[in-house]
Amino acid sequence: MSTRTLVSPLALARPRGRAIYWTVFGGVVLLFALAFLFPVYWMVTGAMKSPDEVTRTPPTLLPEHWHLGGYTDAWDLMDLPTHLWNTVVQATGAWVLQLVFCTAAAYALSRLKPAFGKVILGGILATLMVPVQALVVPKYLTVADLPVLHTSLLNSPLGIWLPAVANAFNLYLLKRFFDQIPRDVLEAAEIDGAGKLRTLWSIVLPMSRPVLGVVSIFALVAVWQDFLWPLMVFSDTDKQPISVALVQLSQNIQLTVLIAAMVIASIPMVVMFLVFQRHIIAGISAGSTKG
């Protein structure tokens, strides 16, 4: 069955048709690239302008005088190393715990078939219908006075880690992926004498690298960009993540220094995405099943 396209194969076979096609295609790609990259360029170069130039109307496309001092001032004046490290600790802990517990729960619901499994899954998915803002107050009261233990998790990374574990969307994403794993593979592992945990560790997880990469991106980005919850948990300025510190310390800071701080704060996210993107692509072939 042939597929109809906007440009016919006959038109593409002609030199003029190919020239028009690639011109239009290149123009569209260039426009999309400019739409995504220009704000990044504007932010990076804005930190290199003088305070008067960055607020000038009309704005300048290139800095008249290149100043790199905005980045060094942001690094020192806003104490970025401390806040970046706080963010790394909070995001890494939430990511590890979320992978461990969400993967275990998804595997149990998908393959172990516990009693009332569908009811439990329905209750978990029902939490997605509750607005996040409605959960802020009960979540804060729970963290401020942990039930049974009666201890406070405020100004502690645990105040970020434990609420992040209960992520219904990532759990459902993992369960749906586990449901699609061929039963023949799991039965072959059973015949070879592998138990449930051995099957999960040696068979399921290696095949799940693509979805684990996606879940990792969601988990890290969610903690890295969150503002309201870290603001409520961390009243101690020295323990605040970068998202909160940029707002709290921006009162008496020059605009160029603040822009430079935002550029520096965005670099780990870009690097993290590039690293996980490579693992997702590599994991697709590793997780395939040969028939």
Side-chain angles (χ1 to χ4, degrees), residues 7-264:
V7 183
S8 66
L10 182 61
L12 285 176
R14 300 170 183 166
R16 185 172 175 230
R18 284 198 302 270
I20 294 175
Y21 172 80
W22 286 111
T23 300
V24 174
F25 179 77
V28 172
V29 171
L30 181 61
L31 287 176
F32 273 96
L34 288 175
F36 283 102
L37 295 178
F38 184 75
V40 178
Y41 164 80
W42 190 261
M43 186 168 64
V44 172
T45 56
M48 300 181 185
K49 299 178 181 179
S50 64
D52 294 333
E53 186 181 0
V54 77
T55 57
R56 184 183 303 172
T57 304
T60 56
L61 190 60
L62 290 172
E64 294 178 351
H65 302 284
W66 297 82
H67 303 280
L68 296 177
Y71 290 99
T72 57
D73 290 343
W75 188 262
D76 297 330
L77 295 177
M78 303 189 74
D79 197 16
L80 291 186
T82 299
H83 298 296
L84 283 172
W85 176 248
N86 293 341
T87 311
V88 168
V89 171
Q90 295 164 23
T92 303
W95 165 59
V96 171
L97 290 177
Q98 196 170 131
L99 277 187
V100 171
F101 288 98
C102 286
T103 301
Y107 180 71
L109 292 172
S110 174
R111 293 300 175 182
L112 303 185
K113 306 297 183 183
F116 306 107
K118 293 184 178 180
V119 176
I120 295 172
L121 179 62
I124 293 173
L125 295 180
T127 61
L128 294 175
M129 305 177 189
V130 182
V132 178
Q133 295 80 2
L135 300 175
V136 170
V137 174
K139 190 163 65 170
Y140 178 81
L141 295 176
T142 303
V143 169
D145 185 13
L146 201 62
V148 181
L149 298 179
H150 296 292
T151 183
S152 175
L153 299 181
L154 299 178
N155 290 313
S156 169
L158 288 171
I160 301 294
W161 296 348
L162 296 185
V165 172
N167 192 305
F169 179 77
N170 286 344
L171 190 150
Y172 180 71
L173 204 64
L174 288 164
K175 181 189 178 298
R176 290 296 300 168
F177 189 89
F178 293 159
D179 289 342
Q180 297 172 5
I181 295 178
R183 183 176 295 275
D184 297 343
V185 175
L186 303 180
E187 290 178 351
E190 261 184 63
I191 293 173
D192 289 340
K196 300 297 184 182
L197 288 179
R198 180 69 177 179
T199 302
L200 172 63
W201 182 259
S202 301
I203 307 296
V204 175
L205 291 183
M207 297 179 66
S208 305
R209 277 185 286 181
V211 72
L212 291 176
V214 174
V215 168
S216 297
I217 291 176
F218 288 162
L220 290 171
V221 170
V223 176
W224 199 279
Q225 71 178 4
D226 195 10
F227 173 76
L228 178 59
W229 181 244
L231 178 64
M232 298 177 65
V233 171
F234 295 102
S235 57
D236 187 350
T237 307
D238 293 334
K239 296 181 179 180
Q240 290 175 345
I242 192 70
S243 59
V244 177
L246 286 178
V247 177
Q248 298 284 51
L249 302 176
S250 63
Q251 307 300 325
N252 300 316
I253 297 293
Q254 290 182 348
L255 181 58
T256 53
V257 177
L258 180 59
I259 295 175
M262 290 189 291
V263 173
I264 295 173

